[in-house]
Amino acid sequence: MEDMRKIKDIYDCVAIISQEELYPLQKWYNQLIDKTTFEITVADVIRMIRQKQFISLAMSKAIKFLQDDVFIGEAYDGEMLEKISEMDSSFLISYADDLKNIIQNALDKSVTHGWSYNEEDEFKKIVNSITKKLAQ
């Protein structure tokens, strides 16, 4: 069951306030911390991973999204898995069981997925990268 508190309440953090116009990343952060975990989007998770913000929350949401759609991404198929493949292996190990199931699902479904030119090879490299990190 999802926690219905806002992220700012869960993590006891505050919004960025400035006399100047906020940068887009700061605006996103302020919007993010005002959401519940249920309201977090794929785009939020990808950005959370990229910006190293609330990374455990991002990973648990990423796993849920990937269990529903292994090719999920904001800009292109496989983007979520690609961001996960860039994470530290010592962190990924704690999610090994879920990730191994996701990887197997990815390999099974990639055979019949409607890939554009060369995307399947890139996707397999991403999956292999995660597999290697989990084996360490």
Side-chain angles (χ1 to χ4, degrees):
M1 185 155 124
E2 297 270 349
D3 192 329
M4 295 309 292
R5 294 178 295 163
K6 293 184 185 248
I7 293 171
K8 65 184 174 186
D9 297 326
I10 296 169
Y11 292 96
D12 195 27
C13 53
V14 295
I16 299 168
I17 300 171
S18 173
Q19 300 289 350
E20 307 289 319
E21 173 78 17
L22 293 178
Y23 293 106
L25 192 56
Q26 294 170 315
K27 290 178 184 178
W28 165 79
Y29 177 84
N30 285 347
Q31 291 170 348
L32 177 70
I33 66 170
D34 208 33
K35 292 181 178 184
T36 65
T37 57
F38 181 74
E39 297 170 314
I40 294 173
T41 66
V42 170
D44 288 329
V45 172
I46 290 170
R47 187 172 264 180
M48 288 163 73
I49 293 169
R50 190 171 41 236
Q51 298 302 321
K52 296 177 174 61
Q53 293 290 316
F54 313 110
I55 208 70
S56 292
L57 173 59
M59 192 63 182
S60 71
K61 291 297 288 188
I63 286 171
K64 287 180 184 177
F65 285 130
L66 288 165
Q67 287 170 336
D68 290 339
D69 179 3
V70 76
F71 304 111
I72 200 155
E74 179 188 23
Y76 53 89
D77 287 354
E79 184 179 14
M80 183 81 71
L81 269 180
E82 180 181 34
K83 289 300 165 218
I84 288 172
S85 76
E86 296 167 1
M87 297 174 91
D88 214 34
S89 59
S90 60
F91 177 76
L92 293 179
I93 293 294
S94 53
Y95 299 93
D97 291 340
D98 288 323
L99 288 173
K100 286 176 184 177
N101 289 334
I102 289 167
I103 286 168
Q104 187 56 54
N105 189 27
L107 292 172
D108 293 344
K109 290 185 176 180
S110 70
V111 175
T112 58
H113 188 69
W115 296 106
S116 297
Y117 178 75
N118 210 25
E119 285 181 326
E120 184 175 9
D121 292 338
E122 290 299 315
F123 187 76
K124 285 182 180 178
K125 286 179 188 175
I126 291 165
V127 169
N128 287 337
S129 172
I130 296 171
T131 302
K132 286 178 186 174
K133 287 183 176 191
L134 293 176
Q136 294 180 352

